[in-house]
Amino acid sequence: MAAAVSAAVSLPSSKSTSFPTRTSIISPEKINFNKVPLYYRNVSGGSRVVPIRAQVSTEAPAKVEKISKKQDEDVVVNKFRPKEPYVGRCLLNTKITGDDAPGETWHMVFSTEGEVPYREGQSIGVIADGVDANGKPHKLRLYSIASSALGDFGDSKTVSLCVKRLVYTNDKGEEVKGVCSNFLCDLKPGAEVKITGPVGKEMLMPKDPNATVIMLATGTGIAPFRSFLWKMFFEKHEDYKFNGLAWLFLGVPTSSSLLYKEEFEKMKEKAPENFRLDFAVSREQTNEKGEKMYIQTRMAQYAEELWGLLKKDNTFIYMCGLKGMEQGIDDIMSSLAARDGIDWAEYKKQLKKAEQWNVEVY
Ligand SMILES: Cc1cc2nc3c(=O)[nH]c(=O)nc-3n(C[C@H](O)[C@H](O)[C@H](O)COP(=O)(O)OP(=O)(O)OC[C@H]3O[C@@H](n4cnc5c(N)ncnc54)[C@H](O)[C@@H]3O)c2cc1C
Ligand SMILES: NC(=O)c1ccc[n+]([C@@H]2O[C@H](COP(=O)([O-])OP(=O)(O)OC[C@H]3O[C@@H](n4cnc5c(N)ncnc54)[C@H](OP(=O)(O)O)[C@@H]3O)[C@@H](O)[C@H]2O)c1
């Protein structure tokens, strides 16, 4: 039986601003994290209480015809190729990890003038300035887009990334800096940046606004999920109103490396019935057995519930970040499936075919 649950959230006051097109967004407000202002959009205005209705279903949903996200002909890929990239400008670049975090991660916004028409879940390529050891232009590197299609400023004219600065020590004991990540993290506002793409259909959002969307991220793997979650909770669209369950698991090394934490907490305040948020802070937390808290360790604490959700037709799992996480997640899924006499490898194949299991790890 399905039951309707009502929740109320109190939204802060608005300053009027007009925004274009199909989406009505009323109040861009500043959100501060790590002393750096970013902007998020309020879905409504005024100091008033806005009711949010959430359908909480206690039984399997009725079968509905699924609309494939990957067959969507309106999704643009490879508009810009390396030979003729789009040249945007950096509008903002800000470190979003604390000074004591292991490594630096930056959030950056580039202008596109609406010329790079991406969807939530896609990636872009970036070609760093300069040449490689052979005197040839650098090859492009891919980055998951961290903003919704409307962009951080709500005008569909920007694209944002979340980039970890790669620095490591090689066999000779020398410090090596990754080419493109360092180029990006060092970009100053006003600087030009060569963009290719957009690319990728694996991580596109499900079309069903009532879906359960389980998002599993390690580190910068959070990028596509920030993009999903802005669309779900910070924006108002005529043709899309999220009314399902979004459940984010984010794994990072330290609490000072928790990415976009304040934004996600804001979303939770706005839609407590529709958003669940769990962090796995690997170097600070352990489970009851004293094991390091990886994302799969946190998930194991909700094993039964997750398995129950996975058996539903309208549950979609997305995984993004470190390659190593995939095996860990497979391991817990295998043990859960085995309890029901199900072969996980086979079951996963079916989920993939139905676009319910979506992985982009590196
Ligand atoms: C689809 C996709 C999406 C991605 N999205 C993001 C994203 O959103 N954010 C993000 O930060 N990254 C993302 N990446 C990774 C990104 O593309 C780059 O690979 C990353 O930024 C490093 O590039 P670089 O040019 O700085 O390093 P490079 O100069 O290319 O150096 C990388 C090379 O250094 C070597 N290396 C790296 N670490 C070590 C080590 N510890 N010891 C020895 N050798 C090492 C390896 O040979 C590696 O190939 C994504 C990758 C893919 C495929
Ligand atoms: N679409 C994509 O393919 C895509 C998109 C974005 C990013 N990426 C890639 O994703 C990676 C993210 O790295 P980051 O530096 O941003 O992350 P990070 O800040 O180092 O965080 C990664 C977290 O994952 C933990 N971890 C390590 N091994 C794990 C395992 N086997 N299973 C589960 N968790 C594990 C780490 O724990 P400990 O360090 O404590 O062990 C840490 O808590 C980068 O390699 C980036 O290039 C890929």
Side-chain angles (χ1 to χ4, degrees):
M1 192 203 289
V5 176
S6 285
V9 289
S10 183
L11 299 176
S13 62
S14 72
K15 293 168 218 100
S16 75
T17 313
S18 58
F19 287 89
T21 66
R22 296 178 300 141
T23 305
S24 53
I25 305 152
I26 298 173
S27 163
E29 291 184 41
K30 276 184 185 176
I31 185 163
N32 276 297
F33 57 93
N34 293 325
K35 302 188 197 98
V36 186
L38 257 195
Y39 291 83
Y40 73 90
R41 297 185 292 282
N42 200 344
V43 293
S44 187
S47 304
R48 62 202 169 82
V49 172
V50 179
I52 292 179
R53 280 191 92 69
Q55 285 288 335
V56 178
S57 176
T58 51
E59 63 184 30
K63 293 250 174 204
V64 285
E65 201 193 328
K66 274 203 186 142
I67 312 166
S68 167
K69 60 192 168 79
K70 289 170 196 169
Q71 307 304 323
D72 189 336
E73 284 167 11
D74 292 338
V75 179
V76 175
V77 286
N78 288 320
K79 181 175 175 192
F80 294 96
R81 294 181 183 271
K83 283 200 172 135
E84 270 182 276
Y86 177 80
V87 181
R89 273 187 198 282
C90 175
L91 301 176
L92 179 156
N93 197 0
T94 186
K95 182 155 82 88
I96 55 170
T97 44
D99 291 340
D100 60 334
E104 286 179 13
T105 301
W106 291 66
H107 179 83
M108 55 202 72
V109 183
F110 305 143
S111 64
T112 64
E113 300 305 325
E115 293 293 325
V116 186
Y118 64 87
R119 288 279 180 87
E120 294 81 6
Q122 288 193 290
S123 298
I124 52 168
V126 173
I127 304 169
D129 285 354
V131 289
D132 65 17
N134 301 317
K136 298 218 165 113
H138 288 299
K139 295 216 161 53
L140 70 83
R141 267 66 164 179
L142 289 175
Y143 292 90
S144 308
I145 294 170
S147 47
S148 70
L150 284 176
D152 286 357
F153 302 146
D155 58 5
S156 305
K157 289 184 176 175
T158 65
V159 63
S160 305
L161 300 180
C162 171
V163 179
K164 172 93 177 250
R165 186 191 287 282
L166 174 65
V167 184
Y168 65 92
T169 308
N170 69 12
D171 296 341
K172 295 179 203 148
E174 299 156 342
E175 188 185 81
V176 183
K177 289 182 167 184
V179 170
C180 197
S181 60
N182 280 273
F183 166 75
L184 286 170
C185 294
D186 289 336
L187 271 183
K188 300 278 177 283
E192 288 187 345
V193 57
K194 296 190 217 49
I195 294 171
T196 66
V199 294
K201 290 192 172 182
E202 174 75 9
M203 299 292 280
L204 294 172
M205 290 174 80
K207 299 256 177 201
D208 180 0
N210 298 311
T212 293
V213 185
I214 299 173
M215 293 159 278
L216 315 174
T218 46
T220 48
I222 192 64
F225 306 137
R226 177 180 187 265
S227 151
F228 287 16
L229 291 163
W230 269 54
K231 177 163 181 181
M232 288 168 171
F233 298 118
F234 279 170
E235 296 171 359
K236 199 166 182 183
H237 294 259
E238 271 170 22
D239 55 357
Y240 181 85
K241 178 176 182 339
F242 184 69
N243 203 16
L245 172 68
W247 192 351
L248 173 67
F249 289 88
L250 169 60
V252 292
T254 60
S255 35
S256 53
S257 18
L258 275 168
L259 306 169
Y260 307 111
K261 182 169 175 268
E262 283 80 358
E263 286 185 15
F264 299 143
E265 285 171 347
K266 199 84 205 166
M267 290 170 188
K268 204 163 160 43
E269 262 174 47
K270 281 187 184 221
E273 303 292 334
N274 301 83
F275 186 37
R276 289 177 70 168
L277 178 60
D278 278 280
F279 297 128
V281 184
S282 59
R283 300 186 197 175
E284 293 173 12
Q285 300 172 332
T286 53
N287 66 4
E288 59 285 354
K289 289 188 211 151
E291 293 164 339
K292 196 166 181 173
M293 185 57 77
Y294 276 159
I295 182 169
Q296 57 270 31
T297 326
R298 180 67 74 211
M299 287 170 71
Q301 296 177 335
Y302 301 98
E304 298 296 337
E305 203 177 348
L306 285 169
W307 181 242
L309 287 171
L310 249 185
K311 288 194 277 190
K312 286 187 355 175
D313 245 14
N314 67 343
T315 295
F316 297 79
I317 307 267
Y318 290 81
M319 193 186 305
C320 189
L322 288 175
K323 198 164 183 48
M325 69 191 279
E326 196 175 4
Q327 186 59 51
I329 288 163
D330 270 343
D331 290 346
I332 63 162
M333 291 300 172
S334 297
S335 61
L336 288 171
R339 286 191 223 171
D340 279 358
I342 293 172
D343 172 38
W344 172 243
E346 200 43 50
Y347 196 69
K348 192 168 83 168
K349 263 190 218 157
Q350 289 172 32
L351 289 177
K352 274 190 175 168
K353 206 166 159 204
E355 299 181 353
Q356 286 177 263
W357 189 266
N358 307 280
V359 179
E360 206 164 75
V361 289
Y362 183 58

